Coordinates of all heavy atoms in Angstrom, one line a residue:
M13 N 30.8 -39.7 -33.7 CA 31.7 -39.3 -32.8 C 32.0 -37.9 -32.8 O 32.2 -37.2 -31.9 CB 32.9 -40.3 -33.0 CG 34.0 -40.2 -31.9 SD 33.5 -40.7 -30.4 CE 34.6 -42.2 -30.2
E14 N 32.2 -37.5 -34.2 CA 32.4 -36.1 -34.4 C 31.3 -35.2 -33.9 O 31.5 -34.1 -33.3 CB 32.5 -35.9 -35.9 CG 33.0 -34.6 -36.3 CD 33.3 -34.4 -37.7 OE1 33.8 -35.4 -38.4 OE2 32.8 -33.3 -38.4
E15 N 30.0 -35.6 -33.8 CA 28.9 -34.9 -33.3 C 29.0 -34.6 -31.8 O 28.8 -33.6 -31.3 CB 27.7 -35.6 -33.7 CG 26.4 -34.7 -33.6 CD 25.2 -35.4 -34.2 OE1 25.3 -36.0 -35.3 OE2 24.3 -35.6 -33.4
N16 N 29.4 -35.6 -31.1 CA 29.6 -35.5 -29.7 C 30.8 -34.6 -29.2 O 30.7 -33.8 -28.3 CB 29.9 -36.9 -29.0 CG 28.6 -37.7 -29.0 OD1 27.6 -37.2 -29.0 ND2 28.8 -39.0 -28.9
T17 N 31.8 -34.5 -30.0 CA 32.9 -33.7 -29.7 C 32.5 -32.2 -30.0 O 32.9 -31.2 -29.3 CB 34.1 -34.0 -30.5 OG1 33.8 -34.2 -31.9 CG2 34.9 -35.2 -29.9
N18 N 31.7 -32.0 -31.0 CA 31.3 -30.5 -31.2 C 30.3 -30.0 -30.1 O 30.4 -28.9 -29.7 CB 30.5 -30.6 -32.6 CG 31.3 -30.7 -33.8 OD1 32.6 -30.4 -33.7 ND2 30.8 -31.0 -34.9
N19 N 29.5 -30.9 -29.6 CA 28.6 -30.6 -28.5 C 29.4 -30.4 -27.2 O 29.2 -29.5 -26.5 CB 27.5 -31.6 -28.2 CG 26.3 -31.5 -29.1 OD1 26.1 -30.5 -29.8 ND2 25.8 -32.7 -29.5
A20 N 30.5 -31.2 -27.0 CA 31.3 -31.0 -25.8 C 32.1 -29.7 -25.9 O 32.3 -29.0 -25.0 CB 32.2 -32.2 -25.7
Q21 N 32.5 -29.4 -27.1 CA 33.1 -28.2 -27.2 C 32.3 -26.8 -27.1 O 32.7 -25.8 -26.7 CB 33.9 -28.0 -28.7 CG 35.0 -29.0 -28.8 CD 35.5 -29.0 -30.3 OE1 34.9 -28.4 -31.2 NE2 36.5 -29.8 -30.6
A22 N 31.0 -27.0 -27.3 CA 30.1 -26.0 -27.2 C 29.6 -25.7 -25.7 O 29.0 -24.9 -25.5 CB 28.8 -26.3 -28.0
G23 N 30.2 -26.6 -24.8 CA 29.9 -26.4 -23.4 C 28.8 -27.3 -23.0 O 28.3 -27.2 -21.8
N24 N 28.2 -28.2 -23.7 CA 27.2 -29.1 -23.3 C 27.6 -30.5 -23.4 O 27.6 -31.1 -24.4 CB 25.9 -28.9 -24.1 CG 24.7 -29.6 -23.4 OD1 24.8 -30.4 -22.6 ND2 23.5 -29.1 -23.7
P25 N 28.2 -31.2 -22.4 CA 28.7 -32.5 -22.6 C 27.7 -33.7 -22.8 O 28.1 -34.7 -23.3 CB 29.4 -32.8 -21.1 CG 28.6 -31.8 -20.2 CD 28.2 -30.6 -20.9
N26 N 26.5 -33.5 -22.5 CA 25.5 -34.5 -22.9 C 24.9 -34.4 -24.2 O 24.2 -35.3 -24.7 CB 24.3 -34.2 -21.8 CG 24.7 -34.5 -20.4 OD1 25.7 -35.2 -20.1 ND2 24.2 -33.8 -19.5
G27 N 25.1 -33.3 -24.9 CA 24.7 -33.3 -26.3 C 23.3 -32.7 -26.4 O 22.7 -32.7 -27.6
G28 N 22.6 -32.3 -25.4 CA 21.3 -31.8 -25.4 C 21.3 -30.3 -25.4 O 22.3 -29.7 -25.6
Q29 N 20.1 -29.7 -25.4 CA 20.0 -28.3 -25.6 C 19.9 -27.7 -24.1 O 19.5 -28.3 -23.2 CB 18.6 -27.9 -26.2 CG 18.5 -28.3 -27.6 CD 17.2 -27.9 -28.3 OE1 16.4 -27.6 -27.6 NE2 17.2 -27.9 -29.6
T30 N 20.6 -26.6 -24.0 CA 20.5 -25.8 -22.8 C 19.3 -25.0 -22.6 O 18.9 -24.2 -23.5 CB 21.7 -24.9 -22.6 OG1 22.9 -25.7 -22.8 CG2 21.8 -24.2 -21.2
V31 N 18.4 -25.1 -21.5 CA 17.3 -24.4 -21.4 C 17.5 -23.3 -20.1 O 18.0 -23.6 -19.1 CB 16.1 -25.2 -20.9 CG1 14.9 -24.5 -20.7 CG2 15.9 -26.3 -22.1
I32 N 17.2 -22.2 -20.6 CA 17.3 -21.0 -19.6 C 16.0 -20.5 -19.2 O 15.3 -20.1 -20.2 CB 18.3 -19.9 -20.1 CG1 19.7 -20.5 -20.4 CG2 18.3 -18.8 -19.0 CD1 20.6 -19.4 -21.1
I33 N 15.6 -20.6 -18.0 CA 14.4 -20.2 -17.5 C 14.5 -18.8 -16.7 O 15.2 -18.7 -15.8 CB 13.6 -21.2 -16.5 CG1 13.5 -22.5 -17.3 CG2 12.4 -20.6 -16.1 CD1 13.0 -23.6 -16.4
N34 N 13.8 -17.8 -17.3 CA 13.9 -16.4 -16.6 C 12.5 -16.4 -15.8 O 11.4 -16.4 -16.4 CB 14.0 -15.3 -17.6 CG 15.3 -15.3 -18.4 OD1 16.3 -15.6 -17.7 ND2 15.3 -14.8 -19.6
Q35 N 12.6 -16.1 -14.5 CA 11.5 -15.9 -13.7 C 11.4 -14.5 -13.3 O 12.5 -13.8 -13.0 CB 11.6 -16.8 -12.4 CG 11.5 -18.3 -12.7 CD 11.5 -19.1 -11.4 OE1 12.1 -18.5 -10.5 NE2 11.2 -20.3 -11.6
A36 N 10.2 -14.0 -13.4 CA 9.9 -12.5 -13.2 C 10.2 -12.4 -11.6 O 9.6 -13.3 -10.7 CB 8.7 -12.1 -13.6
A37 N 10.8 -11.3 -11.2 CA 11.0 -11.0 -9.7 C 9.4 -10.8 -9.1 O 8.7 -10.1 -9.9 CB 11.9 -9.9 -9.6
P38 N 9.2 -11.2 -8.0 CA 7.9 -11.0 -7.4 C 7.8 -9.4 -7.1 O 8.7 -8.8 -6.7 CB 8.0 -11.7 -6.2 CG 9.3 -12.0 -5.8 CD 10.1 -12.0 -7.1
K39 N 6.5 -9.0 -7.5 CA 6.3 -7.6 -7.2 C 6.2 -7.3 -5.7 O 5.3 -8.0 -5.2 CB 5.2 -7.0 -8.0 CG 5.3 -7.1 -9.5 CD 4.1 -6.5 -10.2 CE 4.3 -6.5 -11.7 NZ 3.3 -5.9 -12.4
K40 N 6.8 -6.4 -5.2 CA 6.7 -6.0 -3.8 C 5.6 -5.0 -3.8 O 5.5 -4.0 -4.3 CB 7.9 -5.6 -3.2 CG 9.0 -6.6 -3.2 CD 10.3 -6.1 -2.6 CE 11.2 -7.4 -2.5 NZ 12.5 -7.0 -1.9
G41 N 4.6 -5.2 -2.8 CA 3.6 -4.0 -2.6 C 3.7 -3.7 -1.1 O 4.6 -4.1 -0.3
N42 N 2.9 -2.7 -0.9 CA 2.9 -2.1 0.4 C 1.5 -2.2 1.0 O 0.6 -1.4 1.0 CB 3.2 -0.6 0.3 CG 3.4 0.1 1.6 OD1 3.2 -0.5 2.6 ND2 3.8 1.4 1.6
G43 N 1.2 -3.5 1.6 CA 0.0 -3.8 2.1 C -0.5 -3.0 3.3 O -1.7 -2.6 3.3
I44 N 0.4 -2.6 4.0 CA 0.0 -1.7 5.2 C -0.3 -0.3 4.6 O -1.4 0.2 5.2 CB 1.2 -1.6 6.1 CG1 1.6 -2.9 6.7 CG2 1.0 -0.5 7.2 CD1 1.3 -3.1 8.1
G45 N 0.3 0.2 3.6 CA 0.0 1.5 3.1 C -1.4 1.5 2.4 O -2.3 2.4 2.5
V46 N -1.7 0.3 1.7 CA -3.0 0.2 1.1 C -4.1 0.1 2.2 O -5.1 0.7 2.0 CB -3.0 -1.1 0.2 CG1 -4.4 -1.4 -0.4 CG2 -2.1 -0.9 -1.0
A47 N -3.8 -0.7 3.2 CA -4.8 -0.8 4.3 C -5.0 0.6 4.9 O -6.2 0.9 5.3 CB -4.4 -1.8 5.4
G48 N -3.9 1.4 5.1 CA -4.2 2.7 5.7 C -5.0 3.7 4.7 O -5.8 4.4 5.2
F49 N -4.7 3.5 3.5 CA -5.5 4.4 2.5 C -6.9 4.0 2.5 O -7.8 4.9 2.6 CB -4.9 4.1 1.1 CG -5.7 4.8 0.0 CD1 -5.8 6.1 -0.2 CD2 -6.4 4.0 -0.8 CE1 -6.5 6.7 -1.2 CE2 -7.3 4.5 -1.8 CZ -7.3 6.0 -2.0
V50 N -7.2 2.7 2.5 CA -8.6 2.2 2.5 C -9.3 2.6 3.8 O -10.5 3.1 3.7 CB -8.7 0.7 2.2 CG1 -10.0 0.2 2.5 CG2 -8.3 0.3 0.8
L51 N -8.8 2.5 4.9 CA -9.3 2.7 6.1 C -9.6 4.3 6.3 O -10.6 4.7 6.8 CB -8.5 2.3 7.4 CG -8.5 0.8 7.6 CD1 -7.5 0.4 8.6 CD2 -9.9 0.3 7.9
A52 N -8.7 5.1 5.8 CA -8.8 6.6 5.9 C -10.0 7.0 5.0 O -10.8 7.8 5.2 CB -7.5 7.2 5.5
L53 N -10.1 6.4 3.8 CA -11.1 6.7 2.8 C -12.5 6.3 3.4 O -13.4 7.0 3.3 CB -10.9 6.0 1.5 CG -11.7 6.5 0.4 CD1 -11.6 7.8 0.1 CD2 -11.4 5.5 -0.8
I54 N -12.6 5.0 4.0 CA -13.8 4.7 4.5 C -14.1 5.6 5.7 O -15.4 5.9 5.9 CB -13.8 3.1 4.9 CG1 -13.7 2.3 3.6 CG2 -15.0 2.8 5.7 CD1 -13.4 0.8 3.9
G55 N -13.2 5.9 6.5 CA -13.5 6.8 7.7 C -14.0 8.2 7.2 O -14.9 8.8 7.8
L56 N -13.4 8.7 6.1 CA -14.0 9.9 5.5 C -15.4 9.8 5.1 O -16.2 10.7 5.2 CB -13.0 10.5 4.5 CG -13.2 11.8 3.9 CD1 -13.1 13.0 4.9 CD2 -12.4 12.1 2.5
I57 N -15.7 8.7 4.3 CA -17.0 8.4 3.8 C -18.0 8.3 5.0 O -19.1 8.8 4.9 CB -17.0 7.2 2.9 CG1 -16.2 7.5 1.7 CG2 -18.4 6.8 2.5 CD1 -15.9 6.2 0.8
F58 N -17.6 7.6 6.1 CA -18.5 7.4 7.2 C -18.3 8.3 8.2 O -18.4 8.0 9.4 CB -18.5 5.9 7.7 CG -19.0 4.9 6.7 CD1 -18.1 4.0 6.0 CD2 -20.4 4.8 6.5 CE1 -18.7 3.1 5.2 CE2 -20.9 3.9 5.7 CZ -20.1 3.0 5.0
C59 N -18.0 9.5 8.0 CA -17.7 10.6 9.0 C -19.0 10.9 9.7 O -18.8 11.4 10.8 CB -17.1 11.9 8.4 SG -18.2 12.7 7.2
W60 N -20.1 10.6 9.3 CA -21.3 10.8 10.1 C -21.7 9.9 11.2 O -22.5 10.0 11.9 CB -22.5 11.0 9.1 CG -22.6 9.8 8.2 CD1 -21.9 9.7 7.0 CD2 -23.4 8.6 8.4 NE1 -22.3 8.3 6.5 CE2 -23.2 7.8 7.3 CE3 -24.2 8.2 9.3 CZ2 -23.8 6.5 7.1 CZ3 -24.9 6.9 9.2 CH2 -24.6 6.2 8.1
V61 N -20.9 8.8 11.1 CA -21.0 7.7 12.3 C -20.2 8.0 13.4 O -18.9 7.8 13.2 CB -20.9 6.3 11.7 CG1 -21.0 5.2 12.7 CG2 -21.7 6.1 10.4
P62 N -20.5 8.4 14.6 CA -19.8 8.9 15.5 C -18.5 8.1 16.0 O -17.4 8.6 16.0 CB -20.7 8.9 16.8 CG -22.1 9.2 16.1 CD -22.1 8.3 14.9
I63 N -18.7 6.8 16.4 CA -17.5 6.1 16.8 C -16.8 5.3 15.8 O -15.6 5.3 15.8 CB -18.1 5.0 18.0 CG1 -18.6 5.9 19.2 CG2 -17.0 4.2 18.5 CD1 -19.2 5.1 20.3
L64 N -17.5 4.9 14.8 CA -16.9 4.0 13.7 C -15.9 5.0 13.0 O -14.7 4.6 12.7 CB -18.0 3.7 12.7 CG -17.5 2.9 11.5 CD1 -16.9 1.6 11.9 CD2 -18.5 2.5 10.5
N65 N -16.2 6.3 12.7 CA -15.3 7.1 12.0 C -14.0 7.3 12.7 O -12.8 7.4 12.2 CB -15.9 8.5 11.6 CG -16.0 9.4 12.8 OD1 -16.2 9.0 13.9 ND2 -16.4 10.6 12.4
W66 N -14.0 7.4 14.1 CA -12.8 7.6 14.9 C -12.0 6.4 14.7 O -10.7 6.5 14.6 CB -13.1 7.9 16.3 CG -13.6 9.3 16.6 CD1 -14.8 9.8 16.6 CD2 -12.8 10.4 16.7 NE1 -14.8 11.1 16.7 CE2 -13.5 11.6 17.0 CE3 -11.3 10.6 16.9 CZ2 -13.0 12.9 17.1 CZ3 -10.8 11.8 17.0 CH2 -11.6 12.9 17.2
I67 N -12.5 5.3 15.0 CA -11.8 4.0 14.9 C -11.1 3.8 13.5 O -9.8 3.6 13.4 CB -12.6 2.8 15.2 CG1 -13.1 2.9 16.6 CG2 -11.9 1.5 15.0 CD1 -14.2 1.8 17.0
L68 N -11.8 4.1 12.5 CA -11.3 3.9 11.0 C -10.2 4.9 10.9 O -9.2 4.7 10.3 CB -12.4 4.1 10.0 CG -13.4 2.9 10.0 CD1 -14.6 3.3 9.1 CD2 -12.8 1.5 9.6
W69 N -10.6 6.2 11.3 CA -9.5 7.3 11.0 C -8.2 7.0 11.8 O -7.1 7.1 11.3 CB -10.0 8.6 11.5 CG -9.2 9.7 11.4 CD1 -8.7 10.3 10.3 CD2 -8.4 10.3 12.5 NE1 -7.8 11.4 10.6 CE2 -7.6 11.3 11.9 CE3 -8.3 10.1 13.9 CZ2 -6.6 12.1 12.7 CZ3 -7.5 10.9 14.7 CH2 -6.7 11.8 14.0
I70 N -8.3 6.6 13.1 CA -7.0 6.3 13.7 C -6.3 5.2 13.2 O -5.1 5.2 13.0 CB -7.5 6.1 15.3 CG1 -7.9 7.4 16.0 CG2 -6.2 5.4 16.0 CD1 -8.3 7.1 17.4
L71 N -7.0 4.1 13.0 CA -6.2 2.9 12.2 C -5.8 3.3 10.8 O -4.6 3.0 10.4 CB -7.2 1.9 12.0 CG -7.7 1.0 13.3 CD1 -8.7 0.0 13.1 CD2 -6.4 0.5 14.0
G72 N -6.5 4.2 10.1 CA -5.9 4.7 8.8 C -4.7 5.5 8.9 O -3.8 5.4 8.2
V73 N -4.7 6.4 10.0 CA -3.5 7.3 10.2 C -2.3 6.4 10.5 O -1.2 6.5 10.1 CB -3.7 8.3 11.3 CG1 -2.5 8.9 11.7 CG2 -4.8 9.4 10.8
I74 N -2.6 5.4 11.5 CA -1.4 4.6 12.0 C -0.8 3.7 10.7 O 0.3 3.7 10.5 CB -1.8 3.7 13.0 CG1 -2.2 4.5 14.3 CG2 -0.9 2.6 13.5 CD1 -2.9 3.7 15.4
F75 N -1.7 3.1 10.0 CA -1.3 2.2 8.9 C -0.6 3.0 7.8 O 0.4 2.6 7.3 CB -2.5 1.4 8.4 CG -2.9 0.3 9.2 CD1 -4.0 -0.5 9.1 CD2 -2.1 -0.2 10.4 CE1 -4.5 -1.3 9.9 CE2 -2.5 -1.2 11.1 CZ -3.8 -1.8 11.0
S76 N -1.2 4.2 7.5 CA -0.6 5.0 6.5 C 0.8 5.6 6.9 O 1.7 5.6 6.1 CB -1.5 6.2 6.3 OG -2.7 5.8 5.6
F77 N 0.9 5.9 8.2 CA 2.2 6.5 8.7 C 3.3 5.3 8.6 O 4.4 5.6 8.3 CB 2.0 7.0 10.1 CG 3.3 7.5 10.7 CD1 3.7 8.7 10.2 CD2 4.0 6.8 11.6 CE1 4.9 9.3 10.8 CE2 5.3 7.3 12.1 CZ 5.6 8.6 11.7
I78 N 2.9 4.1 8.9 CA 3.8 2.9 8.9 C 4.2 2.7 7.5 O 5.4 2.4 7.1 CB 3.3 1.7 9.6 CG1 3.2 2.0 11.2 CG2 4.1 0.4 9.3 CD1 2.4 0.8 11.9
G79 N 3.1 2.7 6.6 CA 3.4 2.4 5.2 C 4.3 3.4 4.5 O 4.9 3.1 3.5
V80 N 4.4 4.7 5.0 CA 5.2 5.6 4.3 C 6.7 5.2 4.4 O 7.4 5.6 3.5 CB 5.0 7.0 5.1 CG1 6.0 8.1 4.6 CG2 3.7 7.5 4.8
F81 N 7.1 4.4 5.4 CA 8.5 3.9 5.4 C 8.8 2.7 4.6 O 9.9 2.2 4.7 CB 8.8 3.8 6.8 CG 8.7 5.0 7.7 CD1 7.5 5.1 8.6 CD2 9.6 5.9 7.6 CE1 7.5 6.2 9.3 CE2 9.5 7.0 8.4 CZ 8.4 7.3 9.2
K82 N 7.8 2.3 3.8 CA 8.0 1.1 2.9 C 7.8 1.6 1.5 O 7.1 2.6 1.2 CB 7.1 0.0 3.3 CG 7.3 -0.6 4.7 CD 6.4 -1.8 5.0 CE 6.6 -2.3 6.4 NZ 5.8 -3.4 6.6
K83 N 8.3 0.8 0.5 CA 8.0 1.2 -0.8 C 7.0 0.3 -1.4 O 7.1 -0.9 -1.2 CB 9.3 1.2 -1.6 CG 10.3 2.2 -1.2 CD 11.5 2.3 -2.1 CE 12.5 3.5 -1.8 NZ 13.5 3.5 -2.6
P84 N 6.2 0.7 -2.3 CA 5.9 2.0 -2.9 C 5.1 2.8 -1.8 O 4.4 2.3 -1.0 CB 5.0 1.7 -4.1 CG 4.5 0.4 -4.0 CD 5.4 -0.4 -3.0
K85 N 5.2 4.0 -1.9 CA 4.8 5.0 -0.8 C 3.4 5.6 -1.3 O 2.8 6.4 -0.5 CB 5.7 6.1 -0.6 CG 7.0 5.6 0.1 CD 8.0 6.7 0.4 CE 9.2 6.1 0.9 NZ 10.2 7.2 1.4
G86 N 3.0 5.5 -2.5 CA 2.0 6.4 -3.0 C 0.6 6.3 -2.3 O 0.1 7.4 -1.8
L87 N 0.2 5.0 -2.0 CA -1.2 5.0 -1.3 C -1.1 5.4 0.2 O -2.0 5.8 0.7 CB -1.7 3.7 -1.5 CG -2.3 3.4 -2.9 CD1 -2.9 1.9 -2.9 CD2 -3.4 4.3 -3.2
S88 N 0.2 5.2 0.8 CA 0.4 5.6 2.1 C 0.3 7.1 2.2 O -0.4 7.6 3.2 CB 1.8 5.2 2.6 OG 1.9 3.8 2.5
I89 N 0.9 7.8 1.3 CA 0.9 9.2 1.4 C -0.6 9.7 1.2 O -1.0 10.7 1.8 CB 1.9 9.9 0.4 CG1 3.3 9.6 0.8 CG2 1.7 11.3 0.2 CD1 4.3 9.9 -0.2
A90 N -1.3 9.1 0.2 CA -2.6 9.5 0.0 C -3.6 9.3 1.2 O -4.5 10.0 1.4 CB -3.2 8.5 -1.2
G91 N -3.3 8.1 1.9 CA -4.0 7.9 3.1 C -3.8 8.9 4.2 O -4.7 9.3 4.9
L92 N -2.4 9.4 4.3 CA -2.2 10.5 5.2 C -2.9 11.8 4.8 O -3.4 12.5 5.7 CB -0.7 10.7 5.4 CG 0.0 9.8 6.2 CD1 1.5 10.0 6.1 CD2 -0.4 9.7 7.6
I93 N -2.9 12.0 3.6 CA -3.5 13.3 3.1 C -5.1 13.2 3.3 O -5.7 14.2 3.8 CB -3.3 13.6 1.6 CG1 -1.9 13.9 1.3 CG2 -4.2 14.7 1.0 CD1 -1.3 13.9 0.0
I94 N -5.6 12.1 3.1 CA -7.1 11.9 3.4 C -7.3 12.1 4.8 O -8.3 12.7 5.3 CB -7.7 10.6 2.9 CG1 -7.7 10.6 1.4 CG2 -9.0 10.3 3.4 CD1 -8.0 9.3 0.7
S95 N -6.5 11.6 5.7 CA -6.7 11.8 7.1 C -6.6 13.2 7.6 O -7.2 13.7 8.4 CB -5.6 10.9 7.9 OG -5.8 9.5 7.5
F96 N -5.6 13.9 6.9 CA -5.4 15.3 7.3 C -6.7 16.2 6.8 O -7.0 17.0 7.4 CB -4.2 15.9 6.7 CG -2.9 15.3 7.5 CD1 -1.8 14.9 6.7 CD2 -2.9 15.1 8.8 CE1 -0.7 14.5 7.4 CE2 -1.9 14.7 9.5 CZ -0.7 14.3 8.7
I97 N -7.2 15.8 5.7 CA -8.4 16.4 5.2 C -9.5 16.2 6.1 O -10.4 17.1 6.5 CB -8.8 16.0 3.7 CG1 -7.9 16.4 2.8 CG2 -10.3 16.3 3.4 CD1 -8.0 15.8 1.3
W98 N -9.7 15.0 6.6 CA -10.7 14.6 7.7 C -10.5 15.5 8.9 O -11.5 16.1 9.5 CB -10.5 13.2 8.1 CG -11.6 12.7 9.0 CD1 -12.9 12.2 8.5 CD2 -11.6 12.6 10.4 NE1 -13.7 11.9 9.5 CE2 -13.0 12.1 10.7 CE3 -10.8 13.0 11.4 CZ2 -13.2 12.0 12.1 CZ3 -11.1 12.8 12.6 CH2 -12.3 12.3 13.0
I99 N -9.3 15.7 9.4 CA -9.0 16.5 10.6 C -9.5 18.0 10.2 O -10.1 18.7 11.0 CB -7.6 16.6 10.9 CG1 -7.1 15.2 11.5 CG2 -7.2 17.7 11.8 CD1 -5.7 15.1 11.7
I100 N -9.2 18.5 9.1 CA -9.5 20.0 8.7 C -11.0 20.1 8.6 O -11.6 21.0 9.2 CB -8.9 20.3 7.3 CG1 -7.4 20.3 7.4 CG2 -9.5 21.5 6.8 CD1 -6.6 20.6 6.1
I101 N -11.8 19.0 8.1 CA -13.2 19.1 8.1 C -13.7 19.0 9.5 O -14.7 19.8 9.9 CB -13.7 18.0 7.2 CG1 -13.5 18.1 5.8 CG2 -15.2 17.7 7.4 CD1 -13.8 17.0 4.8
W102 N -13.2 18.2 10.4 CA -13.6 18.1 11.7 C -13.5 19.4 12.5 O -14.4 19.8 13.2 CB -12.9 17.0 12.5 CG -13.4 16.6 13.7 CD1 -14.6 15.9 14.1 CD2 -12.8 16.9 15.0 NE1 -14.8 15.9 15.4 CE2 -13.7 16.5 16.1 CE3 -11.7 17.6 15.4 CZ2 -13.4 16.6 17.3 CZ3 -11.3 17.7 16.6 CH2 -12.2 17.2 17.7
V103 N -12.3 20.0 12.4 CA -12.0 21.3 13.0 C -12.9 22.3 12.6 O -13.5 23.2 13.3 CB -10.5 21.7 12.8 CG1 -10.3 23.1 13.3 CG2 -9.7 20.7 13.6
A104 N -13.2 22.3 11.2 CA -14.2 23.4 10.6 C -15.6 23.2 11.2 O -16.3 24.2 11.7 CB -14.2 23.3 9.2
V105 N -16.0 21.9 11.4 CA -17.4 21.6 12.0 C -17.4 22.1 13.3 O -18.4 22.6 13.8 CB -17.7 20.2 11.7 CG1 -19.0 19.7 12.5 CG2 -18.0 19.9 10.2
I106 N -16.5 21.6 14.1 CA -16.4 22.0 15.6 C -16.4 23.5 15.7 O -17.0 24.1 16.6 CB -15.3 21.3 16.3 CG1 -15.5 19.8 16.3 CG2 -15.1 21.8 17.7 CD1 -16.7 19.4 16.9
G107 N -15.5 24.1 14.9 CA -15.5 25.7 15.0 C -16.8 26.3 14.6 O -17.2 27.3 15.2
T108 N -17.5 25.8 13.7 CA -18.8 26.4 13.3 C -19.8 26.1 14.4 O -20.6 27.1 14.7 CB -19.3 25.6 12.0 OG1 -18.3 25.8 11.0 CG2 -20.6 26.2 11.5
I109 N -19.8 24.9 15.0 CA -20.8 24.7 16.0 C -20.5 25.6 17.3 O -21.4 26.2 17.9 CB -20.8 23.3 16.5 CG1 -21.4 22.4 15.4 CG2 -21.4 23.0 17.8 CD1 -21.1 20.9 15.6
G110 N -19.1 25.8 17.5 CA -18.7 26.6 18.6 C -19.1 28.2 18.3 O -19.4 28.9 19.3
A111 N -18.9 28.6 17.2 CA -19.2 29.9 16.8 C -20.7 30.1 16.8 O -21.2 31.3 17.2 CB -18.7 30.4 15.5
A112 N -21.6 29.2 16.6 CA -23.0 29.3 16.7 C -23.5 29.3 18.1 O -24.5 30.0 18.3 CB -23.6 28.1 16.0
L113 N -22.8 28.9 18.9 CA -23.3 28.9 20.3 C -22.8 30.1 21.0 O -23.2 30.8 21.8 CB -22.7 27.8 21.1 CG -23.2 26.4 20.6 CD1 -22.5 25.2 21.5 CD2 -24.7 26.2 20.8

């Protein structure tokens, strides 16, 4: 009898052990930002394919821009930077072709 009163005083009326389960919070990712980064990178790699690079680049810019407003922002910003590098390369190539003519 004395054993049950000690458990009841300890806060456990059933006399068993209290189990506390700590669950890790789910990690939040930025899928849109990652998609924008990957599409911008693939668009930069395949810049020699005329229509494919435009489609990949536009989708990469759109997804990266949307991803900048979500956390984490790292790959979204990297996707935008890759897209801007692609624009600079494209303007330089067009300028060189225009100057040659």
